[in-house]
Amino acid sequence: MSTVETADADSGGSLHQRILSDISEKILSGAWAPGHRIPFEHELTTEYNCSRMTVNKALSQLAKAGLIERRRRSGSFVRRPQSQAAVLELHDIRIEVEALGLLYRYERLEQLKRRSNADDRALLGLSAAGSVLWIEGLHFAGERPFALEQRLINLSAVPEAGNEEFLEIAAGPWLIGRVPWSEAEHRIRAMAADEAIADALDIDPGAPCLVVERRTWSAEHPVTHVRFIYPAESHTLVARFTPSQG
């Protein structure tokens, strides 16, 4: 057995993950810009002292995630990663990020418990004033910001949320695990990033963003309103339909 084959047998999984991580970080950090040619398979085989099969597997996964484009006889090139989210599902951003083969991280930026104002009541669909929880957080894909989350929670419907800090775990998965939702509404629009959004997402002020707003109810009680803001160039919304029956 060759030295290369032995290295793969001992640490094929870790080598595969190392190649994925190294290339992903170079793309997302901007070190490798769109159009940059990825080293050829034989060059990566030499660099990582592994088999061509391990390299091919890593590049195939990167292509499937939308980070690179493989061209027959020309090699592999960087393309802008795009996440595809199903519009009609209550999806978890962690799943979106991990589907790209990237490490996910959440960071809370701001959290405030307060008496609802007129804007809060309009967003949640509340008829009377009450306590709400405002949370702003950032979802990361690797080292790059992936989406900015701005959320209001109706504490009359979910009082225990007022005792949570949501420092490293987003409120969405926490709510889904505790409050059975009976109805949801999505609104989708475009916007230009203002200074605060541009700073959070590390994009230029005025850059186009995709905004997905969602409101959920549980037994006719408003639970939460959330706004996800994505850099427009890195996110695609997808929905699949079937003909209605009857």
Side-chain angles (χ1 to χ4, degrees):
M1 180 178 293
S2 68
T3 303
V4 167
E5 291 173 335
T6 301
D8 268 7
D10 291 341
S11 57
S14 60
L15 272 172
H16 167 252
Q17 188 58 50
R18 181 183 163 198
I19 296 169
L20 279 174
S21 298
D22 287 354
I23 295 178
S24 297
E25 289 301 321
K26 288 176 181 176
I27 293 173
L28 293 175
S29 69
W32 287 357
H36 178 89
R37 183 181 67 77
I38 308 296
F40 288 115
E41 285 190 12
H42 71 270
E43 294 173 323
L44 292 171
T45 295
T46 300
E47 179 181 351
Y48 289 94
N49 190 30
C50 65
S51 72
R52 196 154 184 169
M53 181 181 298
T54 297
V55 170
N56 184 271
K57 180 182 176 183
L59 293 179
S60 295
Q61 187 170 339
L62 289 164
K64 186 177 180 180
L67 286 174
I68 68 172
E69 177 184 2
R70 307 189 76 181
R71 303 174 190 168
R72 189 175 182 183
R73 298 181 180 177
S74 298
S76 299
F77 299 84
V78 176
R79 61 180 297 181
R80 294 191 183 277
Q82 285 204 335
S83 167
Q84 293 187 341
V87 180
L88 303 180
E89 296 178 0
L90 299 189
H91 60 277
D92 185 345
I93 289 184
R94 175 190 291 272
I95 296 174
E96 290 184 59
V97 171
E98 291 179 347
L100 296 172
L102 302 174
L103 292 176
Y104 169 83
R105 178 170 63 87
Y106 173 80
E107 178 183 322
R108 191 194 73 184
L109 302 178
E110 182 183 358
Q111 182 165 318
L112 176 65
K113 189 189 299 185
R114 69 189 183 209
R115 188 76 170 170
S116 63
N117 57 38
D119 289 340
D120 296 337
R121 293 193 289 276
L123 288 173
L124 286 167
L126 297 172
S127 57
S131 296
V132 297
L133 184 66
W134 160 260
I135 309 169
E136 185 171 55
L138 199 56
H139 300 264
F140 287 83
E143 296 300 318
R144 297 285 297 173
F146 183 77
L148 178 65
E149 176 178 333
Q150 299 172 332
R151 182 182 294 270
L152 271 173
I153 299 176
N154 176 17
L155 291 179
S156 296
V158 199
E160 60 269 33
N163 299 320
E164 296 292 328
E165 294 187 334
F166 301 112
L167 289 172
E168 298 176 350
I169 300 175
W174 184 91
L175 285 168
I176 290 174
R178 288 164 175 78
V179 183
W181 64 278
S182 57
E183 187 178 352
E185 172 188 84
H186 281 97
R187 293 180 182 270
I188 304 158
R189 61 187 174 90
M191 68 173 290
D194 60 22
E195 292 284 349
I197 291 172
D199 183 61
L201 292 175
D202 194 19
I203 56 179
D204 294 330
C209 293
L210 179 68
V211 182
V212 179
E213 295 187 71
R214 184 170 70 226
R215 185 164 47 167
T216 57
W217 293 262
S218 179
E220 300 183 356
H221 298 292
V223 173
T224 186
H225 174 277
V226 62
R227 181 183 295 117
F228 297 108
I229 305 173
Y230 301 85
E233 65 183 12
S234 64
H235 201 76
T236 301
L237 291 172
V238 177
R240 179 175 295 180
F241 303 88
T242 58
S244 59
Q245 303 295 322

